């Protein structure tokens, strides 16, 4: 977007036209065909996410979905049936105890679970560095080869799609070695701050100080803890 276009958008946002933004998982946009989704089905999922995040509508009507997609009610119903059958969405029945009213909502946990598994499968098939292989053989941790498994064990829960994307970004975009990411995770566990923002700060600090290997990280950490200069 050029400067003039950005200014126009910003003015619209300030007047309420751009108020409210939905967070759409990039992995859905990037790999929806691997989930055997059509363009229309993907657009429908995006609108379900947007309705929930921006308008706080957990169960938009067919008429509302028609309005934003431009598709017929029959076509939308068929797409919803396919998404339900594929386990990407489900419909939960809830009870408003205060008003004693039963209502329904779309549950998208199936979609996020499949997106997370897709990212994990891609990472599992990624060639690893020789130093990483040697370290895993020495530790006797076969499952440690998969960073996603290592993180899930330390966090004590499955990773979210956004967290999986963060790990992929460290490897693909920031080019951090896998052994360095694992060391940063260990440092976060040692500090009792097991969350992604803290781990990202560790990796950024190491990058600024030219820490490139696990041995570099160990030496840097020892100097830091002893109060020496990095």
């Amino acid at each position: 977007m050029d400067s003039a276009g950005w200014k126009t958008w910003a003015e619209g946002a300030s007047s309420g036209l751009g108020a409210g933004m939905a967070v759409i998982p990039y992995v859905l946009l990037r790999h929806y065909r691997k989930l055997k989704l059509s363009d229309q089905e993907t657009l429908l999922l995006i609108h379900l996410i947007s309705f929930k995040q921006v308008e706080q509508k957990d169960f938009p009507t067919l008429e509302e979905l028609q309005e934003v997609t431009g598709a017929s009610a029959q076509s939308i119903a068929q797409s919803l049936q396919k998404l339900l059958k594929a386990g990407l969405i489900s419909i939960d029945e809830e009870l408003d105890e205060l008003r004693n009213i039963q209502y329904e909502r779309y549950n998208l946990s199936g979609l996020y679970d499949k997106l997370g598994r897709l990212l994990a499968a891609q990472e599992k098939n990624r060639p690893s560095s020789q130093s990483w292989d040697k370290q895993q053989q020495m530790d006797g941790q076969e499952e440690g080869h998969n960073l996603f498994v290592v993180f899930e064990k330390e966090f004590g829960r499955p990773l979210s799609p956004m967290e999986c994307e963060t790990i992929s970004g460290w490897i693909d975009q920031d080019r951090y070695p896998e052994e360095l990411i694992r060391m940063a995770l260990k440092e976060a566990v040692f500090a009792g701050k097991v969350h992604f923002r803290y781990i990202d700060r560790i990796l950024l600090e190491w990058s600024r100080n030219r820490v490139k290997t696990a041995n570099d990280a160990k030496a840097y950490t020892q100097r830091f803890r002893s109060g020496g200069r990095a």
Side-chain angles (χ1 to χ4, degrees):
M1 184 182 293
D2 58 24
S3 58
W6 177 260
K7 182 179 180 181
T8 301
W9 184 92
E11 290 174 349
S14 64
S15 63
L17 294 178
M21 291 187 179
V23 179
I24 309 300
Y26 175 69
V27 64
L28 173 61
L29 303 176
R30 182 72 173 81
H31 298 298
Y32 68 91
R33 294 198 180 279
K34 292 184 179 179
L35 296 178
K36 298 181 180 180
L37 292 172
S38 67
D39 294 346
Q40 179 175 320
E41 291 156 358
T42 304
L43 180 62
L44 184 57
L45 285 170
I46 290 173
H47 280 300
L48 290 178
I49 294 172
S50 301
F51 269 114
K52 181 178 180 64
Q53 293 183 4
V54 181
E55 300 188 33
Q56 287 75 52
K57 290 184 178 180
D58 292 325
F59 201 75
T61 65
L62 285 179
E63 290 76 13
E64 289 173 323
L65 293 173
Q66 275 185 272
E67 182 181 355
V68 294
T69 63
S72 67
Q74 180 180 1
S75 178
I76 293 174
Q78 290 175 346
S79 295
L80 288 172
Q81 285 296 325
K82 180 179 176 181
L83 294 174
L84 286 165
K85 186 176 181 180
L88 295 171
I89 65 173
S90 59
I91 298 177
D92 294 342
E93 293 185 354
E94 303 287 346
L95 177 64
D96 186 338
E97 296 182 355
L98 292 177
R99 295 182 294 176
N100 196 29
I101 297 176
Q102 192 167 10
Y103 63 94
E104 297 176 320
R105 68 181 183 89
Y106 287 112
N107 186 329
L108 301 175
S109 60
L111 169 65
Y112 294 124
D113 179 67
K114 289 183 183 294
L115 292 176
R117 291 177 184 273
L118 177 62
L119 283 174
Q122 289 180 335
E123 178 61 25
K124 185 176 182 180
N125 294 328
R126 187 192 305 273
S128 59
S129 65
Q130 185 176 6
S131 59
W132 176 260
D133 287 337
K134 288 182 178 179
Q135 180 181 350
Q136 297 312 311
Q137 291 173 5
M138 290 176 63
D139 293 342
Q141 299 175 347
E142 296 180 359
E143 64 178 3
H145 174 73
N146 186 336
L147 273 179
F148 293 90
V149 174
V150 175
F151 270 76
E152 286 184 342
K153 285 184 64 177
E154 294 295 348
F155 277 66
R157 59 169 176 78
L159 299 179
S160 71
M162 295 299 291
E163 290 170 339
C164 290
E165 284 192 65
T166 298
I167 296 175
S168 296
W170 287 337
I171 298 172
D172 296 331
Q173 299 174 17
D174 300 319
R175 302 294 181 181
Y176 294 137
E178 292 184 2
E179 61 175 352
L180 205 61
I181 296 173
R182 189 164 183 245
M183 283 293 298
L185 173 61
K186 288 182 177 180
E187 284 300 306
V189 172
F190 180 82
K193 300 180 180 179
V194 189
H195 51 79
F196 275 78
R197 184 176 298 179
Y198 187 77
I199 297 170
D200 189 63
R201 288 207 304 265
I202 293 175
L203 290 169
L204 182 59
E205 179 184 351
W206 285 352
S207 177
R208 289 172 176 171
N209 289 276
R210 298 182 180 181
V211 174
K212 298 181 179 180
T213 67
N215 288 334
D216 291 343
K218 290 178 181 178
Y220 180 87
T221 301
Q222 288 175 354
R223 290 196 300 271
F224 178 79
R225 290 174 181 166
S226 63
R229 293 179 59 86

